């Protein structure tokens, strides 16, 4: 059932692209970039910038542009841009809208985050190809396969972690995956795995970090008697629950809510917080700097 | 200036009271309490109850009632109630609305929380007599005295803590204070002082506890890159920032907000969170149990 | 797929019930009710009351209780209660937790509200039997039938409204439906139909009522340039979008959001607002009075 | 009392300015603007743009920049800019940070919005000189004069509206006022007055517009039984409560809240919504287009 594919995007997507730049801040950067784009008759649709400090800081910009006949010009543009990049010491990336990023969703027994992602994706709200779903349980198979998405069951535990991760890395390569989404995947990842996908693994933690780092956050929130519970999506690093925070949200609770109720309320927060983080990543709105995120809304 | 007194409350306040009860849960408590009130022709205006567990739990109830000629009946009622209390093993309290609770506000150099409390009080929204303001700085004197409220300047630092607290306790007795409000009072209190006013000191902490316990929460929130900042009002205990949480709230921030901006946004959260906690305490809506609060809204 | 049934509720549900009462306010009501329940050894688990005005107002109470061997006692209790009800001029209702209310969901082409209800129901969060889904389109059939729920396709338009509604009423009887949920069902109902199910039809309107009553609220919100959009769940009456409001919520939008984006954001609000209203109705938390709702949280 | 002046801003404010541009959209605008600024060695600190439609739409940009020795260059820059403006058909404005905008606050008997503005201003959060406060009542005089701000009492009613407005216009000229803030000023303004200050009068309306346009919104919100109440700040036009909306916010209410309570809750919303709108106006973040606002956050 529900085999409907994501909605057709509007046809001119092949002329749409994003230019992402990071470099030492100094006057003239915007001038050079916008003059470059104008030379190729590109029209800037959206532009967001941030400087960590006008004096000696780092400059970040995200430009979304439309350019007639972009596929024919792209190669020349990229080559030409090299000169600017060298002069200003830029890190940069051209992201073409008709080259969809590919995602893998990792899930265990709780399916609410997976279902929310599938729902958003089916609505055309997540601009990605969901290449594969990986799970250490069979629970998600039926729903995933009903969307025509490959599902791989890989039982996991700490004794076989390395072998499992080796298989996972092979699968990520085979499916040509750009982004890994841990949608309540309840397994610890090794440093090797995490380093292999730097700033490319998004996790949802079921607390308002940095409160309740680690296991059983709802139980601990209940014990502490907090009046709001939350969820946090972040990039995974090798410090548990310490990676760059992408998005957080909270809901009000009170003394009558037991742990079970906190979990129910929490699931709703987790769903929307993870979906937002994934959406922003796919739209190249997130820059990681100093273990924090810049998010261009 | 602004010498306006709190608005006149409606005249029949002398017939209004609250009955607060805590006891082991078992069937029949509500029946006994409501029958008792009916016997004295009291009309229940508001009633809130909570049981930690229907089997062998603790039962809490807050009843607000109106009773014609209450001042003449109150003594007899209290005496009569003793029998019920003994039978059901109740802790209880009658709070009469025409006996206003008296508060002392403690403040240092940042005045925003003090100003909010004065503002709410002047509007008739805080049902209290503000008996005195205590500060280790002179900054608040002018505004406090303009309201006709006594202001005491008591310089404080860790070397003279005991002497200062002795003076403060004498002042609290002299002004017959029921509740102490730490409205950004930046001094550590000794265990002796805290024990002296158990569940009668409300503090505002400038973070979303238990995140950022201790000093400099906004600096640490900025460093961590959180996407929401918060404030927490709680009763003071001898575990720093670990007392029972009364109320919390948050506001959204982003990567452009420096520490100074976080503090500005935070001040708005602190103002409203502390004002709510104080209001609920004065309305006897808060019960402390197992280092958590039950708040009857 | 997803044929999992709602989670097993805890076993003693047969001893759980709710008593709902409405009557002219006067002293002694709580005493009489709680004494009545105590006589049958019922333990009050939750009790919420409201009086529109302590003098000559109307009194409302909702009591949830647990009573050993309730199925054997219920008949006697109800008969006994008649005397109290007569004396105090009460309207009342006993709702037994093991007698689940039965719902019908009406839907057109947009399925997000239906999916949210199915999702909540499957999680065990909606205490109802979804007896049937009715639609004037075929879009929902596959997903509905995958849950094992009967689906009826009834094409509708204004020319055949009466015949269609006659069929719908027969179906409601056949499926023994207590509550009708209009989950974005885009058909006007006749006064006869609405009167037939008074306070038993819940609708979701895609605006923050009373703003944008009627058609195309998102288009009109966009034209007006509002900074928040909302959704409203309400009981259906014969004044379009004027029925008693049960729940409302909003989300922030800005000048960059076109009508399409407003609709996407709006769908998320609609989902959660309708789900809450339905949940509260099924828990007998809502009382309708003077075209407004009292909701006991 | 409280005669403290707004905090000293950082010293280099004389080198800070904003350039605001509106013109028909076409490729190359950003390039031309940024190249122009670079020519004068200006460093772009913040840049926000919006296009109503990439094809044949209108383009808006707000650039905040820092430029060494700006006071010496400003005249030449403005003259030079004329050529660009002519070529691209631009409306534009240079706003220099050391030339503070001047505001007049209009108030009646309810002072909460005035107090919030004074509070924000005193904190250094409103970048303006409050030139004068105008009122048709004497209530605000003492507090206003305690800040050293001139206060003018101008009794007003519909019979003398024209004379009063003539005096007000003279005062606005005398005090060289850029922005008029209606902080709960309960008088209707004539079309002549409104036209005289087009897009320069900000009002706070005590409802979530377009719900409850006109008088007594809280009474009507109470009667309708809404579950959220709100406030709306907008530019004043000659259609009552129909001017471009700048900001809106809401708070949750329930059946127990009477009109008086709604007003209390509403005052808190009004305070923060008006303060935000004024702050954004003073930071030149708001553009009015087609009776809607673009707000660059």
């Amino acid at each position: 059932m529900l085999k409907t594919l994501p909605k057709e995007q509007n046809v001119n997507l092949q002329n749409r692209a994003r230019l992402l730049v990071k470099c030492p801040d100094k006057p003239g950067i915007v001038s050079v970039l916008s003059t470059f784009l104008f030379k190729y008759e590109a029209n800037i649709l959206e532009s967001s910038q941030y400087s960590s400090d006008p004096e000696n800081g780092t400059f970040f910009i995200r430009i979304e542009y439309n350019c007639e006949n972009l596929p024919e010009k792209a190669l020349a543009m990229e080559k030409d841009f090299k000169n600017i990049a060298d002069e200003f010491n830029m890190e940069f990336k051209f992201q073409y809208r008709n080259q969809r990023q590919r995602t893998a969703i990792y899930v265990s027994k709780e399916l609410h985050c997976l279902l929310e992602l599938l729902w958003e994706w089916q609505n055309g709200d997540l601009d990605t190809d969901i290449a594969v779903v990986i799970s250490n349980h069979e629970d998600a198979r039926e729903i995933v396969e009903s969307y025509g998405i490959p599902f791989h069951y890989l039982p996991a535990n700490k004794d076989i972690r390395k072998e499992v991760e080796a298989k996972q890395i092979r699968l990520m390569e085979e499916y040509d995956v750009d982004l890994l989404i841990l949608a309540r995947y309840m397994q610890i990842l090794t440093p090797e795995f995490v380093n292999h996908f730097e700033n490319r693994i998004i996790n949802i933690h079921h607390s308002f970090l940095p409160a309740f780092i680690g296991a059983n956050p709802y139980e601990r929130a209940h014990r502490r008697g907090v009046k709001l519970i939350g969820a946090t999506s972040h990039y995974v690093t090798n410090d548990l629950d310490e990676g760059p925070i992408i998005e957080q949200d909270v809901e009000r609770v009170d003394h009558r809510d037991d742990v079970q109720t906190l979990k129910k309320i929490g699931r709703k927060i987790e769903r929307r917080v993870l979906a937002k983080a994934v959406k922003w990543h796919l739209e190249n709105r997130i820059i990681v700097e100093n273990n924090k995120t810049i998010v261009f809304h």
Side-chain angles (χ1 to χ4, degrees), chain A:
Chain A
M1 52 126 268
L2 282 178
K3 295 195 196 66
T4 10
L5 287 176
K7 281 182 201 151
E8 269 298 302
Q9 302 283 346
N10 47 345
V11 266
N12 295 322
L13 228 41
Q14 60 173 17
N15 289 333
R16 294 278 288 269
R18 294 170 194 140
L19 172 55
L20 306 153
V21 171
K22 169 183 168 177
C23 64
D25 197 4
K26 63 176 189 178
I29 301 169
V30 179
S31 170
V32 161
L33 294 176
S34 54
T35 303
F36 169 82
L37 288 170
F38 181 51
K39 193 169 80 178
Y40 289 91
E41 296 178 304
N43 195 11
I44 297 176
L45 301 172
E46 199 182 326
S47 173
S48 310
Q49 61 185 75
Y50 174 70
S51 178
S52 62
D53 184 356
E55 317 275 340
N56 301 313
T58 304
F59 178 85
F60 307 87
I61 195 165
R62 173 193 185 274
I63 298 173
E64 179 132 9
Y65 58 93
N66 193 73
C67 187
E68 290 300 309
N69 305 316
L70 182 57
E72 296 157 34
K73 296 174 181 172
L75 214 68
M77 281 177 84
E78 292 211 25
K79 202 175 152 195
D80 190 5
F81 193 75
K82 267 286 194 186
N83 303 313
I84 294 172
D86 287 348
E87 188 191 334
F88 283 85
N89 225 335
M90 286 173 176
E91 295 172 38
F92 70 97
K93 183 180 182 180
F94 286 88
Q95 176 89 37
Y96 300 98
R97 292 292 306 281
N98 63 348
Q99 290 169 15
R100 266 193 172 161
Q101 294 180 68
R102 295 172 61 79
T103 46
I105 303 176
Y106 284 64
V107 70
S108 291
K109 289 181 86 74
E110 294 213 62
L111 305 187
H112 54 287
C113 288
L114 170 69
L115 290 177
E116 185 77 9
L117 292 170
L118 291 172
W119 159 260
E120 294 265 335
W121 172 75
Q122 189 206 12
N123 260 313
D125 289 349
L126 286 186
D127 188 20
T128 186
D129 290 326
I130 302 180
V132 61
V133 173
I134 307 282
S135 183
N136 54 336
H137 294 277
E138 285 282 10
D139 306 58
R141 179 185 294 278
E142 193 172 3
I143 177 74
V144 168
E145 292 183 347
S146 78
Y147 281 91
I149 299 169
F151 176 88
H152 286 264
Y153 167 57
L154 290 181
N157 63 57
K158 69 178 163 48
D159 300 329
I160 56 168
R161 189 157 290 155
K162 298 233 159 204
E163 301 89 294
V164 172
E165 288 190 351
K167 278 187 212 160
Q168 289 171 341
I169 289 177
R170 274 199 306 277
L171 279 169
M172 295 306 96
E173 283 164 1
E174 184 184 318
Y175 284 104
D176 193 19
V177 165
D178 298 296
L179 175 69
L180 285 68
I181 304 164
L182 309 186
R184 299 299 310 271
Y185 180 64
M186 309 308 277
Q187 291 289 316
I188 302 286
L189 305 175
T190 67
E192 292 71 36
F193 190 89
V194 169
N195 291 338
H196 198 279
F197 300 103
E198 196 192 354
N199 292 339
R200 296 202 288 140
I201 311 177
I202 293 179
N203 184 42
I204 179 75
H205 184 74
H206 40 319
S207 86
F208 182 78
L209 290 174
F212 309 122
I213 288 176
N216 301 320
Y218 292 123
E219 282 79 358
R220 288 151 67 206
H222 185 257
R223 210 175 312 130
R224 181 63 186 93
V226 294
K227 299 300 185 184
L228 297 167
I229 57 166
T232 303
S233 57
H234 63 93
Y235 288 110
V236 176
T237 63
N238 283 313
D239 294 309
L240 181 67
D241 300 334
E242 296 280 9
I245 293 170
I246 303 169
E247 172 66 346
Q248 306 188 281
D249 208 351
V250 294
E251 290 272 335
R252 200 157 279 280
V253 297
D254 73 28
H255 60 271
R256 297 170 299 181
D257 298 317
D258 59 14
V259 173
Q260 223 44 46
T261 306
L262 296 192
K263 286 182 180 174
K264 275 184 188 179
I265 295 169
R267 282 199 283 265
K268 296 184 200 212
I269 318 174
E270 295 165 29
R271 283 158 68 180
R272 62 176 189 255
V273 166
L274 179 61
K276 279 187 182 173
V278 169
K279 186 169 158 52
W280 296 336
H281 179 98
L282 294 170
E283 294 175 358
N284 303 103
R285 295 190 178 279
I286 312 175
I287 292 161
V288 175
E289 181 75 358
N290 290 331
N291 205 47
K292 303 204 285 191
T293 63
I294 295 152
V295 183
F296 289 131
H297 290 292

